[in-house]
């Protein structure tokens, strides 16, 4: 299975990522009352409108689509949000770990990696399917409900957050942990990601026309 590199030159115009499959279809009794049954198997989906401007961005995007191989490949999709956790100085953390680099179409693969800044770590072991997480905060003022974090390749939205001791926070998260996590694992606050694949075979295809700027709607679903 191909692991694609995220196209950094693509620019989001609109993006939404709801959790789907949280419950079964409601069943009605003879008196009209509905029974909603939770599934505990909700997963992330994403719909984005992407703007692609210029030769480098278009070639990078075409490379990305080729690497995805329809629904076969996967990619770490950045879970962009407007209000991210703040650093220890009370400033919003940058979404990018590194500045843009000049790129050439001669690169075989696209994308650059930079050493991430560790702002929080898992404070205590957490079991598979757990919805509660204890984190140790270092370079941050803390996590707020509604924000998104990621651990490894999995994203989680914070439902509730509270502190019982200085330097630590307890979080209620959704969806439940996909796998057990050990104390000391990094918690990504600045640039949370989620391992995803295309929702259908034809996602991301752009027209081969002469327009310098193109836009495309693309849909992803979490690779569970």
């Amino acid at each position: 299975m191909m692991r694609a590199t995220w196209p950094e030159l693509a620019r989001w115009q609109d993006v939404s990522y709801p959790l789907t499959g949280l419950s079964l279809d409601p069943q009605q009794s003879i008196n009209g009352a509905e029974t909603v049954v939770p599934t505990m198997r909700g997963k992330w989906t994403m719909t984005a409108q992407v703007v692609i401007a210029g030769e480098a961005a278009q070639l990078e995007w075409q490379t990305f689509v080729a690497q995805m191989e329809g629904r076969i490949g996967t990619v770490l999709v950045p879970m962009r949000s407007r209000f991210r956790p703040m650093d220890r100085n009370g400033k919003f953390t940058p979404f990018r770990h590194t500045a843009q680099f000049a790129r050439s179409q001669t690169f075989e693969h696209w994308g650059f990696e930079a050493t991430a800044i560790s702002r929080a770590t898992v404070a205590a072991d957490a079991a598979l399917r757990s919805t509660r997480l204890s984190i140790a905060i270092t370079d941050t003022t803390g996590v707020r409900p509604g924000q998104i974090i990621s651990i490894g390749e999995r994203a989680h939205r914070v439902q509730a957050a509270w502190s019982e001791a200085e330097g630590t926070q307890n979080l209620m998260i959704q969806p439940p942990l996909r796998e057990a996590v050990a104390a000391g694992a990094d918690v990504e606050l600045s640039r949370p990601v989620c391992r995803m694949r295309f929702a259908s075979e034809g996602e991301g295809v752009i027209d081969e026309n002469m327009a310098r700027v193109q836009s495309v709607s693309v849909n992803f679903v979490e690779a569970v």
Side-chain angles (χ1 to χ4, degrees):
M1 179 185 298
M2 184 73 174
R3 293 210 167 192
T5 301
W6 182 255
E8 296 288 350
L9 295 181
R11 293 291 177 262
W12 292 124
Q13 201 168 39
D14 297 292
V15 60
S16 63
Y17 30 82
L19 276 169
T20 61
L22 297 174
S23 63
L24 299 176
D25 290 337
Q27 301 295 315
Q28 286 192 353
S29 65
I30 57 175
N31 65 0
E34 286 189 338
T35 300
V36 178
V37 180
T39 63
M40 295 291 286
R41 66 185 183 207
K43 59 184 179 181
W44 293 103
T45 58
M46 175 181 281
T47 297
Q49 190 73 23
V50 182
V51 175
I52 305 162
E55 178 184 358
Q58 289 201 23
L59 289 174
E60 181 194 47
W61 184 263
Q62 297 284 36
T63 301
F64 167 62
V65 172
Q67 290 178 352
M68 289 295 284
E69 299 180 308
R71 287 178 294 196
I72 298 173
T74 63
V75 64
L76 286 177
V77 178
M79 304 289 279
R80 294 191 69 101
S81 58
R82 184 176 180 184
F83 300 108
R84 297 181 301 281
M86 297 180 178
D87 64 18
R88 70 178 72 188
N89 298 316
K91 297 181 179 179
F92 284 114
T93 58
F95 188 75
R96 296 183 183 275
H97 290 318
T98 184
Q100 287 287 348
F101 288 83
R103 303 186 183 198
S104 164
Q105 68 184 63
T106 58
F107 285 125
E108 182 177 358
H109 299 289
W110 302 89
F112 289 89
E113 295 293 335
T115 302
I117 299 173
S118 180
R119 303 187 189 278
T121 57
V122 176
D125 294 349
L128 169 71
R129 308 301 297 166
S130 177
T131 58
R132 179 169 172 171
L133 190 66
S134 178
I135 66 171
I137 57 177
T138 51
D139 186 20
T140 179
T141 57
V143 182
R144 292 175 291 170
Q147 293 178 329
I148 291 179
I149 64 172
S150 65
I151 303 173
E153 299 181 346
R154 302 300 178 186
H156 304 276
R157 193 184 296 276
V158 178
Q159 296 174 308
W162 68 98
S163 297
E164 295 177 349
E166 185 177 356
T168 63
Q169 270 191 303
N170 293 319
L171 308 179
M172 293 292 294
I173 59 173
Q174 65 168 170
L177 291 175
R178 303 295 191 199
E179 57 187 20
V181 295
D186 188 64
V187 180
E188 180 59 56
L189 306 183
S190 303
R191 193 178 191 266
V193 295
C194 183
R195 176 67 62 184
M196 290 186 166
R197 57 171 39 94
F198 281 155
S200 67
E201 290 281 348
E203 299 288 349
V205 176
I206 59 176
D207 295 332
E208 292 289 351
N209 58 37
M210 296 299 105
R212 177 173 174 78
V213 178
Q214 295 195 53
S215 66
V216 61
S217 181
V218 61
N219 299 281
F220 295 91
V221 62
E222 185 177 2
V224 178

